[in-house]
């Protein structure tokens, strides 16, 4: 479709959206022309669908331009929505497939909305611009749609801690730009997909640094094909699955690996010697598997900090060399691994050593601890070994456990190391330096010594390089980094505190996080949501140092009562899943307020012949066949949903009959819903008659009826929605839609064609009775659409050409002959249209300060002068100073329409013809605006005007 706007050809694509480039051209053409709203129609409609589904509308989402300033969680570029960040916003419901309408979306972060359920729509795959997809800690279930493989730009995919099941779709392997893949803590099962022939697989992810797949139900082998030397993988996290078979030797190809967690699976066989090639390895977790064969040689892993190979069935073997050579070790966990022989003294000389757990082995002989160089050493646990003797030098701050060794026989059982005093692994942070202050209830003293309600969360860190919980430098660095992250997003954060570190059973580090607001005494929902978004997005500068983390948090609501909100994030592990599940209970308490009114039972259906199904109404009951063409019956509940419970935000107008609401149908169509006030409701018969009448009218210049709702105490008409508002608002400048002379001609032509259709082509014909600029709507291409048939009368009674009826209409537009004689004909509409024509050129209201526009124009008019001497009263915005070709003819035509005598006025068909002539005169091509329906007066079928189809309101 093509339309002329401002002399530049603008075409619209199949979705009806004017392309941004054209908008740009138009903006260059005239600064007056504001079209932002038009470019955003699709995005706006998509956001309305989402918000209706989720039962919220953030208070800042006002107006219809999502790219206007200040829409919470929305970011735009070139008037298109590119980012949605609504983490922890209490969203409930599903992710509608209409999300695909947001075709420019680059960031979608809906994390920590435990109320988000149901499957991920396949249409996610149409969001081809997506770079960040972050849906952590929600309740999405079902399979991950294979279409996700279409997201070519995707860099960050985080679906951790949902209820996703089925297999990992192989198509994820097509995401060649993917860096971060986190599917932790779901119910994914089946094999880890690798490519074969035409099928993609994870081995193709040559740009991925993170595979976080822990806490699922993955089974089968870790495929050898998964690892290639082309990979840049840093974190391979597969713990807490049901993987079997050997660790493939190909893992040694991925030289970039820093952390490998394969613990808590059912892996068996020998550990491949190639593992020793991974010289960058910092953390290696192979515990709780069924690994056999010789003790792996880790001598090559010079930088290893943390190693845990506990609970495997290795061959009984001597303590390996690397116990003496891996100088960086902080943590050595080798419980129940078949070790025998003496523990080398060199191990205890490592300067970073924190924890040595060698329980349940066959270690024997003398335990020579020698000189300790690490001030972090916390625990040496050799319970249940064969240690005979001990050499310990100097005072020790660490705990030594030798219970169950021969050394703890009768003679030594009083010794400290023979008494199990394995302390609860908790740690208290040093006290703050604040003067003692009593904060009021619920408030907490911040590190900066201010009382406030903090945003609270639990961080569950997937792995760290240390095991000593008193690692103060880590916590300080973490606080500083979080602070930096929040500030880089301009969040009003005063300070951050992490405290109460503990270990989970899968050796995840759990920390309490408190974020203190600056300025305010607490974060509002928007602020808390922004914090959650930042937290969900692993923005810490050194993930290798801090480790990826899980989040779970609570925050106080403004009411004072602390409401728990769940936020499961990052990783899995059964303990975590339980944790998340427990917190999930709170999430259920987070009720869907928006739904409460829906639950009231609404008596359905007054007419016996209306099906309760949401179907096109085809009825043939009792001989009376309602002639509804395509008009659909809506239930009250449906319309309630589509209008967000008839919310104020959706209120787009009102009149004597009631209010008009903007609604969005599930398919994305925007509709205007006229809801009658109780006083202005009609009887069922009359309403039915009106619906029938309206449903017969189909013309591109008439607002068409989409459907209706008739239930007890409710009568609603559902019309198509015109995004550019009404003509009154554009003439007054209110809507920001600017109409130059040529556009005004086009609007006049459209409205005239719509009216001509009503008069001359509708069967029976229809008199509008209330033509005025408020009832002429502008669609997205600024085509006029005549609206509001609320007062219309159709003429069915043969023989008469008029209806005698009580005078209705709007002052200023009333046909004087109708007013005096109460004889209504189509010519009454022609008169009103004449007034509209004068408004089109003057932008004045028909009666302003007591002056009637028709008189004003008549008085000022001098036909001997240029522009009939009307310059002073013309609307300056029409483009004064430019040629207004045809304006005189337009005024002449208006004056003909405004003749006191109906008989002297032209028919609408004639008006259409004349405006077409004027448009040609104005050198505006009509090719693109030629009507689908002829407006020729020759076509007028006056036989249609056959009297009254009386519909009294
Ligand atoms: C979405 O993608 C599917 C195939 O991936 C395609 O068939 C469909 O037309 C797309 N929808 C839109 C609206 O682009
Ligand atoms: C793990 O795998 C074993 C053998 O393949 C199977 O018997 C068991 O049911 C699996 N466990 C789960 C939780 O899927
Ligand atoms: C362990 O690997 C290193 C190479 O990293 C090698 O020099 C050494 O001989 C190996 N030790 C054993 C016992 O195989
Ligand atoms: C080893 O297994 C035992 C018994 O299942 C368990 O209690 C212990 O925590 C495991 N050790 C490690 C380091 O995972
Ligand atoms: C243990 O060490 C002490 C001296 O350090 C020595 O007298 C004793 O014989 C040793 N016991 C064994 C069983 O080696």
């Amino acid at each position: 479709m093509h339309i002329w706007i401002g002399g530049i050809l603008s075409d619209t694509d199949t979705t009806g959206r004017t392309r941004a480039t054209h908008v740009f051209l138009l903006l260059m053409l005239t600064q007056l022309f504001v079209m932002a709203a038009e470019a955003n129609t699709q995005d706006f409609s998509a956001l309305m669908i989402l918000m209706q589904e989720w039962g919220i509308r953030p208070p800042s989402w006002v107006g219809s331009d999502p790219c206007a300033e200040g829409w919470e969680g929305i970011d735009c570029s070139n008037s298109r929505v590119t980012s949605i960040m609504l983490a922890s916003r209490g969203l409930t419901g599903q992710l509608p497939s209409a999300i695909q309408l947001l075709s420019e979306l680059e960031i979608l972060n809906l994390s920590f909305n435990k109320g988000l359920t149901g499957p991920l729509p396949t249409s996610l795959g149409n969001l081809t611009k997506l770079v960040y997809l972050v849906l952590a800690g929600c309740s999405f279930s079902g399979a991950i749609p294979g279409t996700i493989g279409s997201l070519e730009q995707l860099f960050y995919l985080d679906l951790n801690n949902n209820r996703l099941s089925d297999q990992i779709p192989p198509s994820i392997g097509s995401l060649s730009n993917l860096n971060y893949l986190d599917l932790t803590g779901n119910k994914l099962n089946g094999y880890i997909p690798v490519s074969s022939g035409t099928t993609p697989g994870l081995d193709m992810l040559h740009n991925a640094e993170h595979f976080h797949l822990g806490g699922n139900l993955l089974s089968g082998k870790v495929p050898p094909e998964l690892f290639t030397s082309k990979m840049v993988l840093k974190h391979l996290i597969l713990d807490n699955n049901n993987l079997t078979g050997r660790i493939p030797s190909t893992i040694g190809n991925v030289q970039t690996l820093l952390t490998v967690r394969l613990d808590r699976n059912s892996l068996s066989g020998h550990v491949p010697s190639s593992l020793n090639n991974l010289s960058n390895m910092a953390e290696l977790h192979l515990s709780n598997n069924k690994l056999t064969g010789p003790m792996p040689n880790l001598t090559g892993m010079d930088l290893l900090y943390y190693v845990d190979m506990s609970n495997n069935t290795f061959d009984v073997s001597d303590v390996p060399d690397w116990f003496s050579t891996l100088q960086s070790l902080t943590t050595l966990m080798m419980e129940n691994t078949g070790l025998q022989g003496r523990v080398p003294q060199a191990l205890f000389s490592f300067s970073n050593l924190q924890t040595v757990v060698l329980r349940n082995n066959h270690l024997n002989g003398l335990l020579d601890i020698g000189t300790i160089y690490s001030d972090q050493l916390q625990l040496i646990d050799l319970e249940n070994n064969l240690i005979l003797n001990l050499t310990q030098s100097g005072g020790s701050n660490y705990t030594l456990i030798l219970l169950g060794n021969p050394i703890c026989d009768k003679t030594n059982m009083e010794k400290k190391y023979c008494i199990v005093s394995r302390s609860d692994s908790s740690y208290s942070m040093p006290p703050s330096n604040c003067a003692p202050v009593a904060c009021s209830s619920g408030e907490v003293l911040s590190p900066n010594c201010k009382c406030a309600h903090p945003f609270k969360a639990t961080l569950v860190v997937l792995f760290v390089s240390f095991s000593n919980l008193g690692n103060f430098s880590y916590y300080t660095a973490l606080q500083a980094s979080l602070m930096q992250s929040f500030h880089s997003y301009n969040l009003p954060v005063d300070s951050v505190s992490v405290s109460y570190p503990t270990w989970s059973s899968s050796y995840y580090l759990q920390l309490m996080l408190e974020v203190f607001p600056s300025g305010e005494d607490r974060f509002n929902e928007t602020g808390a949501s922004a914090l959650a978004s930042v937290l969900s997005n692993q923005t810490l500068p050194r993930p290798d140092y801090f480790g990826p983390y899980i989040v779970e948090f609570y925050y106080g609501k403004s009411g004072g009562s602390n409401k728990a909100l769940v936020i499961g994030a990052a990783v899995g592990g059964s303990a975590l899943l339980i944790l998340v599940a427990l917190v999930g209970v709170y999430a259920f308490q987070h009720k869907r307020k928006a739904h409460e009114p829906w639950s009231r039972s609404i008596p359905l259906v007054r007419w016996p012949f209306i099906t309760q199904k949401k179907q096109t109404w085809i009825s043939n009951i009792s001989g009376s066949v309602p002639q509804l063409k395509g008009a659909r019956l809506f239930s009250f509940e449906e319309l309630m949903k589509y209008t967000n419970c008839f919310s104020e935000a959706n209120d787009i107008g009102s009149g004597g009959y009631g209010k008009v609401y903007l609604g969005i149908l599930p398919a994305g169509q925007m509709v205007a819903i006229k809801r009658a006030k109780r006083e202005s409701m009609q009887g069922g018969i009359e309403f039915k008659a009106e619906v029938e009448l309206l449903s017969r009218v189909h013309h591109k210049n008439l607002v068409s009826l989409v459907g209706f709702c008739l239930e007890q105490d409710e009568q609603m008409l559902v019309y198509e929605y015109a995004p550019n508002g009404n003509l009154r608002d554009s003439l007054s400048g209110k809507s920001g839609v600017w109409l130059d002379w040529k556009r005004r001609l086009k609007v006049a032509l459209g409205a005239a064609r719509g009216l001509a259709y009503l008069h001359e082509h509708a069967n029976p014909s229809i008199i509008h009775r209330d033509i005025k600029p408020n009832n002429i709507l502008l669609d997205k291409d600024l085509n006029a659409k005549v609206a509001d048939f609320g007062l219309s009368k159709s003429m069915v009674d043969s023989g008469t050409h008029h209806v005698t009826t009580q005078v209705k209409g709007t002052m200023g537009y009333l046909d004087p002959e109708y007013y005096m004689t109460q004889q209504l004909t189509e010519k009454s509409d022609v008169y009103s249209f004449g007034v509209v024509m004068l408004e089109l050129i003057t932008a004045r209201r028909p009666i302003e300060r007591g002056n009637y526009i028709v008189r004003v124009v008549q008085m000022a008019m001098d036909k001997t002068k240029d522009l009939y001497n009307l310059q002073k009263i013309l609307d300056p915005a029409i483009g004064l100073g430019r040629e207004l070709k045809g304006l005189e003819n337009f005024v002449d035509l208006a004056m003909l329409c405004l003749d006191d005598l109906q008989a002297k006025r032209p028919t609408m068909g004639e008006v259409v013809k004349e405006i077409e002539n004027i448009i040609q005169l104005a050198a505006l091509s009509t090719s693109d605006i030629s009507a689908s329906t002829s407006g020729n007066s020759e076509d007028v079928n006056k036989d249609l005007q056959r009297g009254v189809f009386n519909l009294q309101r």
Side-chain angles (χ1 to χ4, degrees):
M1 183 169 70
H2 296 92
I3 55 166
W4 282 98
I5 296 180
I8 287 194
L9 189 63
S10 166
D11 61 356
T12 55
D13 64 23
T14 48
T15 60
R17 176 175 55 81
T18 301
R19 289 191 197 133
T21 49
H22 297 115
V23 174
F24 179 62
L25 287 174
L26 288 164
L27 285 170
M28 298 224 325
L29 191 73
T30 165
Q31 295 128 336
L32 282 172
F33 197 76
V34 182
M35 237 178 144
E38 181 171 339
N40 286 331
T41 302
Q42 180 178 338
D43 291 347
F44 175 67
S45 124
L47 289 177
M48 291 304 112
I49 295 171
L50 299 183
M51 147 225 132
Q52 278 161 24
E53 172 66 25
W54 297 337
I56 64 144
R57 178 161 185 165
S60 61
W61 289 22
V62 290
S64 62
D65 181 5
C67 293
E69 283 295 300
W71 276 43
E72 177 200 333
I74 303 295
D75 268 327
C76 290
S77 174
N78 294 323
S79 293
R80 294 298 310 276
V81 173
T82 52
S83 167
I84 299 181
M85 301 227 273
L86 291 173
S88 182
R89 212 51 185 74
L91 309 181
T92 56
Q94 303 205 354
L95 181 56
S97 83
I99 188 83
Q100 67 174 314
L101 293 173
L102 296 160
S103 51
E104 296 291 316
L105 205 59
E106 291 166 15
I107 299 176
L108 179 61
N109 186 337
L110 305 175
S111 298
F112 315 140
N113 288 293
K114 259 299 181 230
L116 287 180
T117 57
L120 296 175
T122 55
S123 70
L124 268 182
N126 293 56
L127 295 174
T128 50
K129 303 269 173 77
L130 217 51
V131 180
Y132 285 82
L133 178 56
V134 192
L135 305 174
C138 302
S139 301
F140 291 113
S141 56
I144 299 171
T147 52
I148 210 158
S150 316
L151 306 179
E152 286 177 3
Q153 307 296 319
L154 204 64
F155 176 84
Y156 193 101
L157 174 58
D158 186 352
L159 305 176
N160 83 68
N161 281 306
N162 279 278
R163 298 173 192 161
L164 297 165
S165 55
D166 219 324
Q167 310 203 344
I168 297 174
S171 62
I172 285 184
S174 312
L175 302 173
S176 56
N177 288 307
L178 197 66
N179 173 272
Y180 196 99
L181 173 62
D182 192 341
L183 306 176
T184 315
N186 282 287
K187 295 174 183 166
L188 297 166
N189 55 38
Y191 301 142
I192 297 171
V194 288
S195 65
S196 71
T198 51
T199 322
L202 301 192
D203 54 309
M204 292 161 61
L205 296 174
H206 291 164
N207 288 310
E209 296 185 324
H210 304 267
F211 281 179
H212 299 177
L213 308 174
N216 280 289
L217 301 168
L218 298 172
S219 58
K221 289 196 300 184
V222 178
E225 301 85 353
L226 183 60
F227 305 108
T228 71
S229 54
K230 288 183 187 151
M231 287 186 135
V232 294
L233 207 55
K234 288 180 174 173
H235 300 168
L236 173 66
I237 317 280
L238 291 167
D239 65 293
N240 287 288
N241 276 291
N242 201 10
L243 297 166
T244 53
R246 288 166 175 254
I247 299 172
S249 66
T250 50
I251 195 169
N253 295 336
V254 189
Q255 286 290 320
T256 45
L257 277 172
L258 298 175
T259 301
V260 170
R261 281 202 74 158
L262 296 172
D263 51 306
R264 296 165 175 84
N265 280 286
S266 300
L267 298 169
S268 57
H270 294 201
V271 174
S273 57
S274 62
L275 198 68
N276 200 18
N277 298 344
L278 299 175
S279 53
N280 293 311
M281 190 77 87
E283 283 112 40
L284 177 64
H285 299 246
L286 301 176
S287 67
N288 301 294
N289 278 292
K290 296 170 183 162
L291 297 168
T292 57
M295 180 59 56
N297 180 1
L298 304 183
T299 314
M301 298 187 185
D302 285 338
L303 303 174
L304 200 62
Y305 292 107
Y306 193 117
V307 58
D308 187 354
M309 298 209 251
S310 302
N311 293 327
N312 279 292
T313 47
F314 296 121
D315 297 348
V316 172
S317 63
D318 289 340
V319 168
D321 293 348
W322 50 269
F323 269 42
S324 311
T325 62
L326 297 184
Q327 301 277 336
S328 305
L329 274 187
T330 64
T331 309
L332 179 65
M333 309 274 279
M334 298 290 287
E335 172 181 358
N336 184 24
T337 48
L339 286 172
Q340 66 178 11
R342 277 180 62 167
V343 183
Q345 193 210 318
L347 174 63
F348 304 108
S349 68
F350 295 161
S351 56
N352 298 316
L353 198 67
Q354 299 174 6
T355 306
V356 175
V357 176
L358 299 168
R359 272 194 299 253
N360 300 319
N361 282 299
H362 317 288
L363 298 165
N364 55 26
L366 172 72
L367 177 64
D368 185 0
I369 294 181
T371 309
I372 304 286
Y373 293 96
S374 168
D375 56 2
Q376 302 246 7
L377 183 63
Q378 215 177 17
L379 175 68
I380 297 174
D381 185 350
L382 285 160
E383 191 178 343
N384 295 330
N385 275 285
L386 303 167
I387 306 291
L388 292 172
N389 232 340
L390 170 69
T391 311
Q392 218 179 349
S393 64
S396 55
N397 291 329
Y398 58 89
T399 305
L400 175 64
I401 300 174
L402 293 172
L403 182 75
N405 284 273
I407 191 176
C408 287
D409 62 9
K410 293 176 212 93
T411 58
N412 274 334
M413 57 191 289
E414 303 296 311
K415 288 275 192 334
K416 213 173 136 201
Y417 52 72
C418 293
I419 300 162
V420 174
S421 62
R422 207 173 284 124
S423 60
D424 194 9
S425 56
S426 69
Y427 170 81
S428 299
M429 305 298 284
S432 78
N433 296 320
C434 298
V437 180
C439 290
S440 59
S441 145
E443 290 190 331
V444 178
L445 200 59
S446 80
N448 290 343
C449 308
K450 290 179 207 152
C451 292
H453 292 268
F455 166 103
K456 289 188 188 183
T458 302
L459 291 187
V460 183
V461 186
L462 191 48
F463 58 79
V464 282
S465 61
F466 59 86
S467 51
N468 183 342
L469 291 176
N471 194 337
F472 192 64
S473 61
Y474 173 86
Y475 307 128
T476 332
L478 182 60
Q479 285 170 183
S481 290
L482 287 165
M483 190 75 193
Q484 200 181 323
S485 285
F486 293 137
H487 276 176
S488 70
Y489 287 88
N490 291 322
L491 300 178
V493 174
D494 171 75
S495 49
V496 171
S497 133
V498 295
S499 50
Y500 301 113
T502 55
W503 292 113
S504 80
S505 63
S506 290
Y507 288 94
Y508 301 122
L509 174 67
Q510 299 175 332
L511 294 163
M512 181 169 104
L513 169 70
E514 287 170 313
V515 184
F516 293 87
S518 82
E520 305 294 318
D521 130 271
R522 69 180 75 215
F523 290 100
N524 59 18
E525 282 193 25
T526 308
S529 172
L531 289 176
S533 293
V534 173
L535 282 175
S536 66
N537 218 356
Q538 306 284 338
T539 50
L540 296 181
R542 291 168 57 202
D544 307 327
Y545 176 61
F546 293 114
Y549 52 83
I550 300 166
V551 188
E552 173 225 328
F553 70 79
Y554 308 85
Y555 64 90
K557 288 236 172 174
S558 44
S561 75
N562 270 16
K563 207 170 221 178
L565 260 201
V566 173
I567 299 281
V571 190
S574 47
L576 259 175
L577 290 175
I578 291 165
L579 194 71
V580 168
L582 283 176
V583 187
V585 173
Y586 291 99
F588 281 111
Q589 292 170 354
H590 192 75
K591 292 229 173 72
R592 301 186 63 174
K593 282 201 204 94
H595 282 192
E596 279 161 18
W598 302 2
S599 57
R600 97 186 135 92
S601 71
I602 298 150
L604 281 170
V605 182
R606 285 246 294 286
W607 300 340
F609 46 80
I610 293 180
T611 71
Q612 294 195 21
K613 290 272 156 60
K614 308 155 190 173
Q615 305 266 330
T616 302
W617 177 27
I618 308 158
S619 168
N620 54 2
I621 194 106
S622 65
S624 104
V625 183
Q627 296 170 1
L628 287 180
K629 289 184 188 163
R632 185 188 142 180
L633 171 66
F634 290 94
S635 72
F636 179 70
E637 267 196 3
E638 280 177 295
L639 294 184
M640 195 136 177
K641 198 168 161 192
Y642 305 154
T643 57
N644 200 21
C645 299
F646 299 105
S647 74
E648 243 168 69
N650 289 47
D651 184 350
I652 51 171
S654 57
Y657 49 83
K659 285 190 169 179
V660 185
Y661 295 89
L662 174 65
I664 317 266
L665 304 188
Q669 187 188 2
M670 304 223 261
V671 292
I673 299 173
K674 266 177 80 168
R675 185 185 190 188
K677 284 195 294 205
R678 193 150 304 185
E679 310 87 82
S680 52
M681 281 200 300
Q682 321 167 58
I685 301 297
E686 288 85 0
F687 184 77
K688 182 192 123 189
E690 175 144 357
V691 169
E692 273 181 20
L693 179 90
L694 296 178
S695 71
R696 280 188 291 110
V697 172
H698 294 286
H699 186 272
K700 71 168 196 160
N701 294 114
L702 297 172
V703 172
S704 63
L705 186 75
V706 175
F708 64 98
C709 168
L710 177 75
E711 285 178 17
Q712 182 155 12
D713 300 335
E714 292 290 349
Q715 284 179 357
M716 288 183 267
L717 293 171
V718 182
Y719 294 99
E720 68 177 310
Y721 174 71
N724 276 315
N726 67 48
L727 178 59
R728 174 79 259 147
D729 287 346
S730 59
L731 289 178
S732 69
K734 192 174 156 195
S735 68
V737 173
W738 177 60
L739 299 171
D740 67 1
W741 171 229
K742 287 168 180 177
R743 288 199 200 112
R744 290 181 204 215
L745 283 174
K746 194 186 130 197
V747 168
L749 179 62
R753 281 175 175 167
L755 272 179
Y757 176 88
L758 286 179
H759 293 173
E760 299 162 12
H761 295 271
N763 181 11
S765 76
I766 295 168
I767 300 173
H768 188 291
R769 293 214 304 172
D770 201 15
I771 285 294
K772 55 183 175 184
N774 303 59
N775 285 337
I776 296 172
L777 307 185
L778 302 175
D779 75 2
K780 63 179 172 51
D781 299 320
L782 302 180
N783 291 311
K785 297 214 172 225
V786 177
D788 200 346
F789 303 82
L791 295 172
S792 53
K793 289 280 170 272
S794 75
M795 319 272 289
V796 291
D797 186 8
S798 62
T800 63
H801 285 210
H802 67 266
V803 191
T804 304
T805 173
Q806 193 189 341
V807 173
K808 282 185 179 169
T810 304
M811 283 307 293
Y813 301 90
L814 282 182
D815 166 14
E817 191 168 333
Y818 164 53
Y819 193 71
M820 285 181 287
T821 64
Q822 297 191 12
Q823 299 219 326
L824 182 68
T825 70
E826 297 93 336
K827 294 292 181 70
S828 304
D829 282 347
V830 175
Y831 185 91
S832 306
F833 187 78
V835 178
V836 172
M837 288 175 79
L838 296 187
E839 284 192 76
L840 267 170
I841 57 171
T842 63
R844 297 185 182 204
R845 289 181 171 278
I847 299 170
E848 255 184 33
R849 280 175 257 115
N851 296 314
Y852 187 38
I853 190 171
V854 179
R855 302 237 53 81
V856 172
V857 172
Q858 280 169 342
M859 302 288 286
M861 200 155 91
D862 180 349
K863 291 206 177 197
T864 65
K865 300 239 170 88
D866 192 32
L867 293 179
Y868 286 176
N869 198 36
L870 293 173
Q871 288 89 337
K872 281 211 181 82
I873 57 169
L874 290 181
D875 177 12
I878 200 169
L880 282 182
R882 292 201 227 150
E883 260 192 320
L884 297 175
K885 273 196 204 155
L887 186 110
E888 293 90 346
N889 309 55
F890 193 78
V891 174
D892 285 341
L893 178 61
M895 288 307 160
L896 278 176
C897 295
L898 290 165
D899 199 293
D900 282 347
L901 297 174
Q902 291 180 345
K904 287 199 172 177
R905 296 175 207 151
T907 63
M908 277 321 294
E910 288 160 347
V911 171
V912 167
K913 220 177 161 191
E914 182 57 19
I915 297 177
E916 282 169 353
N917 290 337
I918 295 170
I919 284 175
Q920 264 169 20
L921 201 70
L924 179 61
S925 162
T926 53
S927 63
D928 57 318
I929 45 178
S930 63
S932 52
T933 308
S934 164
N936 266 342
S937 52
E938 283 81 27
D939 294 343
V940 173
N941 182 354
K942 292 215 160 96
D943 294 341
L944 293 174
Q945 305 167 11
R946 283 176 293 135
V948 185
F949 182 74
N950 204 350
L951 295 167
Q952 281 303 328
R953 286 196 152 251

